[in-house]
Amino acid sequence: EISDHNCIDSAIKTFTVYPSPNAGYTQNNFAQCLSGNNFRLNDTSTISSGSITRLWNFGDASTSSSGIVNKSFINAGIYAVKLIETSDNNCSDSAIKIFTVYPQTNIGFTINNLNQCFSNNNYIFTDTSIVSSGTFSRLWNLGDGNLSNATIVNKSYHANGSYLIKLNTITNNGCKDSIQKTILVYPKPIAGFSINDSIQCLIENDFLFKDSSIVPGGTYT
């Protein structure tokens, strides 16, 4: 300050501007299927001087303070993952990225009757799968080398035995599911019998009937 008589005085004060963090992180990818989802997040934040602490907010009410996070979500949906960095002088910065967890099919199918006799066997397989959003396609493996993509399959088998029925689904986002059930086609008996002599005289006739039936598996009466 200078007066009109050229008298001088001064006042000095020092001010400090603290550096702010530069928040950021990397990720393995932005979208995964629900089954086995695992997002790997790596804090790459920096600050020119001082120290910083971190807080992850994953958008599902969970948090973490780790530098590297392997995050799995239990529900399909869209999540805003926010990383907040705070310096030792309470300066802060944040980075937000959007992640998508695609839904799986709620897979299932019904069978009219798991176990049927060989004669006139007719299995009806009905796909009951649903998906919460998007679409899906299906592929049946009917256990005898035949395939189908129908919603309802009517199937007859030409040999007795056990067959593994497998239903595979895949959503429009590439999320896969499968389920399998085993059916049994029971063999039918081959009926037969023998007679000691099919023509006999009335006097002292004695017919002897012997069952010669067989069944490829199991027992019969």
Side-chain angles (χ1 to χ4, degrees):
E1 296 288 343
I2 303 175
S3 71
D4 55 351
H5 296 291
N6 206 32
C7 298
I8 300 173
D9 193 16
S10 64
I12 299 175
K13 293 185 178 180
T14 301
F15 295 86
T16 302
V17 179
Y18 296 124
S20 292
N22 183 15
Y25 64 91
T26 60
Q27 63 289 320
N28 54 346
N29 47 45
F30 286 101
Q32 296 183 32
C33 295
L34 177 62
S35 179
N37 77 87
N38 183 31
F39 294 90
R40 184 173 176 84
L41 311 176
N42 184 18
D43 183 3
T44 59
S45 304
T46 59
I47 191 170
S48 59
S49 63
S51 61
I52 51 177
T53 58
R54 74 185 62 83
L55 178 66
W56 297 94
N57 187 325
F58 299 111
D60 63 350
S62 66
T63 60
S64 175
S65 59
S66 299
I68 298 176
V69 177
N70 289 285
K71 175 60 180 176
S72 297
F73 295 93
I74 62 174
N75 295 307
I78 298 174
Y79 298 90
V81 177
K82 185 176 184 180
L83 174 62
I84 304 170
E85 300 286 352
T86 304
S87 72
D88 51 345
N89 291 305
N90 207 34
C91 301
S92 64
D93 190 27
S94 63
I96 301 176
K97 298 181 182 182
I98 304 300
F99 295 83
T100 302
V101 180
Y102 296 128
Q104 307 286 135
T105 53
N106 184 5
I107 192 169
F109 68 92
T110 61
I111 305 175
N112 60 331
N113 192 340
L114 279 173
N115 306 317
Q116 300 182 32
C117 292
F118 175 76
S119 296
N120 301 316
N121 75 88
N122 183 35
Y123 290 86
I124 302 174
F125 308 119
T126 303
D127 182 6
T128 59
S129 306
I130 58 174
V131 65
S132 59
S133 63
T135 60
F136 71 93
S137 58
R138 73 186 61 79
L139 181 66
W140 296 93
N141 186 326
L142 302 174
D144 63 349
N146 288 304
L147 306 174
S148 176
N149 56 13
T151 303
I152 301 175
V153 177
N154 286 273
K155 175 65 177 174
S156 296
Y157 291 89
H158 301 297
N160 61 276
S162 64
Y163 296 88
L164 183 65
I165 312 303
K166 188 173 184 179
L167 174 62
N168 302 281
T169 60
I170 183 169
T171 69
N172 59 304
N173 291 307
C175 301
K176 298 178 180 180
D177 276 298
S178 65
I179 188 175
Q180 60 188 33
K181 298 180 183 181
T182 299
I183 64 169
L184 288 174
V185 180
Y186 294 133
K188 69 175 182 179
I190 302 173
F193 68 93
S194 62
I195 308 173
N196 58 337
D197 189 348
S198 60
I199 302 175
Q200 298 185 33
C201 294
L202 175 62
I203 297 175
E204 297 181 349
N205 73 86
D206 184 14
F207 292 89
L208 178 62
F209 306 105
K210 183 178 180 181
D211 182 7
S212 60
S213 304
I214 61 172
V215 65
T219 61
Y220 68 93
T221 56

